[in-house]
Amino acid sequence: MKHGKKYTESAKQYDRAKQYDAAEAIDLVINNAKAKFDETIELHVRLGVDPKQADQQVRGVIVLPNGTGKTVRVLVLAKGEKADAATAAGADYVGAEELVAKIQKDNWFEFDTVITTPDMMGVVGRIGKLLGPKGLMPNPKSGTVTMDVAKAIADVKAGKVEYRLDKQAIIHCAIGKKSFGKEKLVENYNALADAILKAKPAAAKGQYIKSVTLTSTMGPGVKVVPKNV
């Protein structure tokens, strides 16, 4: 793969084969994020589990101490009092069947998270094949199927992130923006790393944390000592 001049220059600023302490790695990532926009800082963790096994899944949610730096557009599918509560709590879009139809007919996806009440899951199921591939399908485990829509909205707006394994047994998750600075990014890193560690399945055998990498949107990755998680 060919990389741009800024990427290549950044990659020369440190030993890419070396594993660094988490705080030092974050410092390197920040200093080598050369794009003109506020780059997102990402954490990638490869786990020693088999994602094909149901008892070795790793998935959860956490509200990062300093948020994600991203403005999240929230769609709430609810009726009656819950719809009113969603509007009052600051949801960007609130509705029911009419918004489901809009998604079906107009391929409308101007939102980042979908929250719904349990009684609406039958309606939401109509667009499951559309929401699922985009990672937008509401799920009780992620707190997006709930009767307390106000709290769910507040959590999402405050910086709640979901972490889950992909098919290669890797978790990819943003921990903030370059502009956060080292201290806030370290706090977010520690919170997410701790959550992943605590989510270790009982069925997991051998080394749980295989590798850890921090990177920015456009910059090269920096390896982190696995024991830092």
Side-chain angles (χ1 to χ4, degrees):
M1 181 183 294
K2 292 184 178 180
H3 295 290
K5 182 178 179 181
K6 290 182 180 179
Y7 181 103
T8 303
E9 290 178 351
S10 293
K12 294 178 180 178
Q13 302 305 308
Y14 60 94
D15 184 351
R16 296 195 66 191
K18 179 182 176 180
Q19 295 180 336
Y20 294 85
D21 174 83
E24 188 177 3
I26 287 173
D27 215 15
L28 287 169
V29 171
I30 291 173
N31 292 333
N32 287 292
K34 305 295 187 180
K36 294 181 179 180
F37 61 91
D38 192 8
E39 294 186 54
T40 296
I41 309 303
E42 305 166 358
L43 172 64
H44 305 273
V45 183
R46 185 166 64 89
L47 301 179
V49 298
D50 184 354
K52 295 180 181 179
Q53 303 301 318
D55 61 354
Q56 294 188 44
Q57 294 301 308
V58 179
R59 179 177 183 177
V61 294
I62 180 175
V63 177
L64 296 177
N66 301 296
T68 63
K70 178 181 178 181
T71 300
V72 182
R73 301 166 298 175
V74 179
L75 164 63
V76 176
L77 297 172
K79 294 181 178 180
E81 293 181 356
K82 297 302 178 183
D84 294 337
T87 300
D92 297 273
Y93 307 101
V94 180
E97 285 86 354
E98 73 280 7
L99 291 184
V100 169
K102 185 175 182 179
I103 293 171
Q104 287 177 310
K105 297 177 181 179
D106 302 335
N107 197 35
W108 176 70
F109 287 100
E110 294 180 13
F111 49 87
D112 305 298
T113 298
V114 181
I115 295 170
T116 188
T117 50
D119 59 293
M120 286 293 293
M121 282 304 291
V123 176
V124 177
R126 301 174 191 172
I127 52 174
K129 291 183 178 181
L130 298 175
L131 297 178
K134 296 180 180 293
L136 294 170
M137 188 65 182
N139 188 300
K141 292 183 179 180
S142 64
T144 49
V145 178
T146 176
M147 291 300 289
D148 194 348
V149 293
K151 182 180 183 303
I153 294 167
D155 286 346
V156 170
K157 295 285 189 180
K160 184 177 78 171
V161 296
E162 179 179 6
Y163 58 89
R164 61 187 299 179
L165 285 178
D166 66 9
K167 293 181 180 180
Q168 284 72 46
I170 301 174
I171 290 176
H172 310 271
C173 208
I175 61 169
K177 297 285 187 178
K178 175 186 176 181
S179 60
F180 280 22
K182 180 179 178 179
E183 184 177 342
K184 289 184 177 180
L185 287 171
V186 169
E187 288 179 355
N188 280 358
Y189 170 91
N190 287 335
L192 181 56
D194 187 50
I196 293 173
L197 190 61
K198 290 180 178 177
K200 179 181 179 180
K205 304 299 181 182
Q207 185 179 355
Y208 179 51
I209 306 296
K210 290 287 189 178
S211 67
V212 183
T213 303
L214 283 162
T215 184
S216 63
T217 306
M218 304 297 290
V222 179
K223 295 179 180 179
V224 180
V225 181
K227 69 179 182 180
N228 279 180
V229 176

